[in-house]
Amino acid sequence: MLRSQSYRQRLSAHISPSGTTCYITSNLFYIEVQLEKDGNVMDVKLAHLGEAPVVCDDLVQHLRMKNYDAFGKILEDLSNLYQVPGNSEVKAKGYLALQALEKDLYSMSLLDRTQDVNRVTEVLHGKVGHLVPRTGGTPMTIEFYISPYEVLEAEINPGSQVCGTKTVVTIEGTDTLHRLPLSPLLVDSQVGEDGNPTFLPLTDELSVDLPAFFVLKFQQPIPMSSSSIEEIQRLTGIQIMGLKLASLYELIVQSTLKEKCSEDLSTHKSRFFVSLPDCPKHCYFINKGSEKSDLAGALVSKIPFSHPKCVPDVIEILRHQVAYNCLISSCVSEKHINEVLIDVITSREIQCHLHLNRQDPTLNSSDDFIARAVKRCMSVPVVMRAIFRNAAKVKADSETQDVEVDTKQKPEPPREQITDSDSPGESLSVAGQQDLVVSDKPSTTDSSKENLSTAKLETPGDNREKSNPTISTETLCGVEESNSTASTEAVMIGKENTQSSV
């Protein structure tokens, strides 16, 4: 099997005369697999050109578990490190450039980092997210967004391997030359007056022109608005090739359905039914025909760049886009009104406004209450349930107050609550069939004693000025709840806080 996997990647493989060592080699790296006489794997070492061999625990584990497909994938990743056009010297320089980038990204991940910082905080707030360095044949990864439900699931199941959206850092060959660093450029982890890291200039001694660029690669393509794509291309100075423009919301729906039910990707029906525990069924319409929803986007599989300084800003744009996609996808179900305006200003800041038809009864949910609900769950159906539950709670409180007034007792003011479960013992399952675990906490943001039930979720706070790259997109969703007419509108706002439609 070792030889078979090696030949698939066009690598050479041979066994030592003693039969206890297998060598997998290329012109630029080799792998040494040490075996016992009975064939069991003792150790696996990897050596790149000019480097000493190092033990690769991931390769050891895959071979001991006879997971040859995973072993073959690592061989493929190793080979891809050298897929730069040219001779061995040029390929070796490409590898040195990747090493330099990885060191700078790791140094940036340590900036403003405290010793007690946890993974979720790094994912949502770190300059480059939660970074895992390359080990052996496993590429460097950056985890840059995780939803509140994923955070909750990780807290409920401590041993679970819950992870958010990730990207892989690597290098790829191109038809054009790009100036790439050959050594780290970050100056002693220094930060400039603007709060950004300080980098050395790309001199001839520190850089070289190579037919290659760095890339952030995604396991699954991410639906991105055309404005997001344009902003990333402006930051990196490199065009993202091979994009096919389509309706952004159609792309979000398709991606969500592919994840939830791969057997049926039909999206010609824009009506989706969402069921939540102890709540009437919701019906959502993602209107592709209206001018607001006809916004262009594309599926992005990788983002090319040539300098480490642009990575933090690119990560911020990705966070913003994925947070927006998360909110829209919450309305999409594999099972084929009150107007709430939701402005996704950044991945950390969301503003909401509740509008009612004149003939509809008031729901007594303030904008701040709805915004906090959205940030707790990033799910429109859950927010709608919270609004209707709060309305029922206010109505019940009002009736109780009327009785108390009749008996000349002093009434208490009604309270808004987000109650995602009737019992503190309920928890979120993998399939999302149960509610959030909640505990009431008084809010300090509203003088009317509004209470927000939380699941102890860590939601992103924003201490930064709104100078991040921005997105301007719109979609219109409708919600049917009992006899009320409703529509839910989610908007990604630019830094001038303007809305645009196509």
Side-chain angles (χ1 to χ4, degrees), residues 10-12 25-30 48-49 82 88 91:
R10 299 181 180 180
L11 302 173
S12 300
T25 62
S26 73
N27 293 334
L28 296 160
F29 71 90
Y30 74 87
H48 291 276
L49 185 66
Y82 298 98
S88 296
K91 293 179 183 294

Side-chain angles (χ1 to χ4, degrees), residues 107-135:
S107 296
M108 277 193 280
S109 72
L110 301 179
L111 295 176
D112 301 327
R113 178 179 178 180
T114 59
Q115 292 183 350
D116 59 346
V117 67
N118 58 40
R119 170 175 150 255
V120 172
T121 300
E122 281 190 316
V123 170
L124 297 175
H125 302 281
K127 288 185 180 296
V128 290
H130 176 66
L131 184 146
V132 178
R134 175 167 56 90
T135 56

Side-chain angles (χ1 to χ4, degrees), residues 50-65:
E51 295 182 358
V54 294
V55 175
C56 293
D57 293 330
D58 51 350
L59 292 176
V60 173
Q61 292 177 3
H62 291 322
L63 289 180
R64 286 180 178 174
M65 297 176 63

Side-chain angles (χ1 to χ4, degrees), residues 115-351:
Q115 292 183 350
D116 59 346
V117 67
N118 58 40
R119 170 175 150 255
V120 172
T121 300
E122 281 190 316
V123 170
L124 297 175
H125 302 281
K127 288 185 180 296
V128 290
H130 176 66
L131 184 146
V132 178
R134 175 167 56 90
T135 56
T138 304
M140 172 180 282
T141 60
I142 293 175
E143 186 181 6
F144 58 87
Y145 182 80
I146 186 167
S147 72
Y149 272 91
E150 289 168 327
V151 174
L152 179 64
E153 186 173 348
E155 292 179 352
I156 294 174
N157 305 297
S160 62
Q161 299 296 321
V162 178
C163 64
T165 307
K166 290 183 177 182
T167 183
V168 170
V169 181
T170 187
I171 188 171
E172 288 188 359
T174 66
D175 296 330
T176 57
L177 295 176
H178 297 275
R179 174 69 65 168
L180 301 181
L182 288 179
S183 61
L185 301 176
L186 194 61
V187 181
D188 297 329
S189 300
Q190 293 181 6
V191 177
E193 295 181 358
D194 57 358
N196 295 319
T198 302
F199 294 92
L200 296 171
L202 289 174
T203 62
D204 291 340
E205 292 77 17
L206 297 178
S207 61
V208 66
D209 289 328
L210 290 174
F213 48 42
F214 306 125
V215 291
L216 299 176
K217 296 182 67 174
F218 309 107
Q219 185 176 9
Q220 298 294 335
I222 296 178
M224 299 190 69
S225 68
S226 56
S227 56
S228 294
I229 295 170
E230 291 169 0
E231 184 66 11
I232 287 176
Q233 291 177 153
R234 184 192 66 79
L235 285 169
T236 62
I238 302 176
Q239 291 289 113
I240 303 176
M241 307 302 293
L243 299 181
K244 296 181 180 179
L245 292 181
S247 167
L248 174 63
Y249 311 113
E250 179 77 11
L251 295 174
I252 295 174
V253 170
Q254 287 178 347
S255 298
T256 305
L257 288 177
K258 184 176 181 180
E259 180 180 351
K260 292 183 176 180
C261 52
S262 58
E263 68 278 359
D264 182 12
L265 301 181
S266 175
T267 59
H268 68 278
K269 294 183 179 180
S270 59
R271 185 168 70 169
F272 301 97
F273 293 95
V274 179
S275 298
L276 294 174
D278 302 324
C279 181
K281 182 179 292 185
H282 300 189
C283 181
Y284 292 88
F285 298 83
I286 299 183
N287 300 323
K288 306 182 185 71
S290 68
E291 62 178 17
K292 286 187 176 181
S293 66
D294 189 19
L295 185 75
L299 292 175
V300 178
S301 299
K302 60 185 178 183
I303 297 176
F305 64 100
S306 60
H307 199 287
K309 69 180 180 181
C310 66
V311 174
D313 289 335
V314 170
I315 292 296
E316 275 300 299
I317 296 176
L318 290 173
R319 282 175 175 146
H320 191 177
Q321 183 69 63
V322 174
Y324 181 68
N325 295 355
C326 178
L327 194 64
I328 299 302
S329 64
S330 71
C331 301
V332 178
S333 169
E334 66 272 20
K335 299 176 182 178
H336 294 289
I337 326 193
N338 308 298
E339 185 177 348
V340 180
L341 179 69
I342 304 176
D343 298 343
V344 185
I345 298 174
T346 70
S347 65
R348 303 178 180 85
E349 184 175 359
I350 295 176
Q351 292 180 355

